[in-house]
Amino acid sequence: MSRIFEQAQAAGGTRVLILGAGAYPHARKANLRVPELQPISSAAKSAMDLAARIVGDWRDCFMKPLASVDLLVAGVGISADPPLIEIDGLTHRLDPPTMENVKQARDRWLMGAIAEDVLIFYCCGHGLLLPSAGQTFLTTSFGKDEYSPWGDTIALDDFAVGLKECAPRQQWLFFDCCSNIPPIALRTPNARGEPLVVSVAGTRNEMVRRNGDLSQVVISSASPEASALGKDNRASRFMEALLEACEGVGCQRNTNGRWWVDDAGLLAAIISYRYRVAPIEEEEYFKIPAIALLDFTETPRLLSVAAGPKCCLLVRTAPPHRLKDADLEVACNGAQVGGHRKGPSVQIPYRQPVQSYLAYDVKATFDGEPPTSRQMIAIPPLVEAEF
């Protein structure tokens, strides 16, 4: 079973489906139609981390109360035991995201869905770009049919289109997988994955007439023809940034006294993660693209954050090492709130959490030069001063 959380919400709830494909037992060796696929430890961890946060700290933060969470995860290793997750004192043994299991989870995810429901979908694992079908996700049963393997893949672009014709009017889709074009894709130009939800002409307009306008946000972790990245025993780089964004950095909008994470806030937080949070040596690794398809007439809201928006002040110099030669002062409302004295131990660049929407003055003094100041408003998630 994939269902790890369920609570009926008659007036509409948040329905979540998460896939973490870390192992591919049918693609351990390449053949004519199936490439060799290496295990991805970050896929399972990304899926588990997101599920734990949703049923944990975020449970009461969604725009609609949490109704269900379906989770399918395949761990790394040929003989690895099925992953376990504990929710509300109950231990759940997780099934792998084979195509058969994915379709069963899809049925539960969409069963009885109404216009007031919110859909959230996340997948992490191997992916590729098929010339005939666009971005494609490989389930863990990929390669089981060595003569026709593409029935065990999800055509993500078609899936997003098909979901627009379902009743729930707010949808968040996160595709955390590669979108490159390997040789196998070029050798099978007519290959096409399973859409999961088949689009029927005219249905979208009928759904709008019946249920109201659609708000769908699709965010991908890889540019076309590029790879998504993750490191062993860590969540993917996209998931690390996404989790941080949903806990304050991604909220820029206040409605009825509550701060909300929305599409613009999410993208701004994910893009700026490498400057605000990542270790200096991983700044290049966390260069995450902003690949989003937005289809809405009103800005959608994902979840609320009680503490409000977070902001980081970043101070850099050209060249970077010049910052070590500067006395730095950060002031707000005339009072010094940060800074450093010049010296070899100075961290490059300078980072400091600051209170959002306040005015700051950053003054740098270099040897033999008059002080130079930068005045700015701390608009989250990042405010920058360059000298």
Side-chain angles (χ1 to χ4, degrees), residues 152-215:
D152 288 286
T153 68
I154 302 173
L156 294 175
D157 298 342
D158 291 345
F159 176 50
V161 172
L163 279 180
K164 294 179 181 183
E165 301 169 9
C166 294
R169 295 292 81 193
Q170 187 168 148
Q171 305 172 6
W172 295 82
L173 313 180
F174 301 96
F175 302 153
D176 192 3
C177 58
C178 293
S179 190
N180 55 346
I181 307 178
I184 186 67
L186 297 176
R187 295 201 304 267
T188 52
N190 297 319
R192 199 171 194 92
E194 167 67 50
L196 291 184
V197 180
V198 174
S199 176
V200 178
T203 305
R204 174 185 170 133
N205 290 338
E206 176 60 28
M207 279 293 171
V208 171
R209 286 192 294 269
R210 186 187 309 169
N211 298 316
D213 291 331
L214 173 75
S215 290

Side-chain angles (χ1 to χ4, degrees), residues 55-186:
V55 298
D57 294 345
W58 300 351
R59 184 180 298 193
D60 300 321
C61 298
F62 293 100
M63 191 179 74
K64 291 288 186 176
L66 191 62
S68 65
V69 179
D70 288 284
L71 174 64
L72 295 172
V73 173
V76 172
I78 298 172
S79 59
D81 293 330
L84 303 175
I85 189 170
E86 184 175 322
I87 306 296
D88 296 336
L90 297 177
T91 299
H92 300 265
R93 186 180 298 272
L94 302 177
D95 292 330
T98 62
M99 180 54 75
E100 180 181 3
N101 289 341
V102 168
K103 287 185 175 180
Q104 292 175 359
R106 170 210 57 193
D107 293 346
R108 287 188 288 271
W109 183 49
L110 295 175
M111 184 180 299
I114 60 177
E116 292 76 18
D117 286 327
V118 177
L119 298 180
I120 297 177
F121 174 84
Y122 171 80
C123 64
C124 187
H126 278 297
L128 47 79
L129 188 69
L130 287 176
S132 58
Q135 191 172 15
T136 302
F137 179 75
L138 279 55
T139 70
T140 57
S141 52
F142 179 75
K144 183 178 181 180
D145 184 344
E146 63 176 293
Y147 298 105
S148 183
W150 301 106
D152 288 286
T153 68
I154 302 173
L156 294 175
D157 298 342
D158 291 345
F159 176 50
V161 172
L163 279 180
K164 294 179 181 183
E165 301 169 9
C166 294
R169 295 292 81 193
Q170 187 168 148
Q171 305 172 6
W172 295 82
L173 313 180
F174 301 96
F175 302 153
D176 192 3
C177 58
C178 293
S179 190
N180 55 346
I181 307 178
I184 186 67
L186 297 176

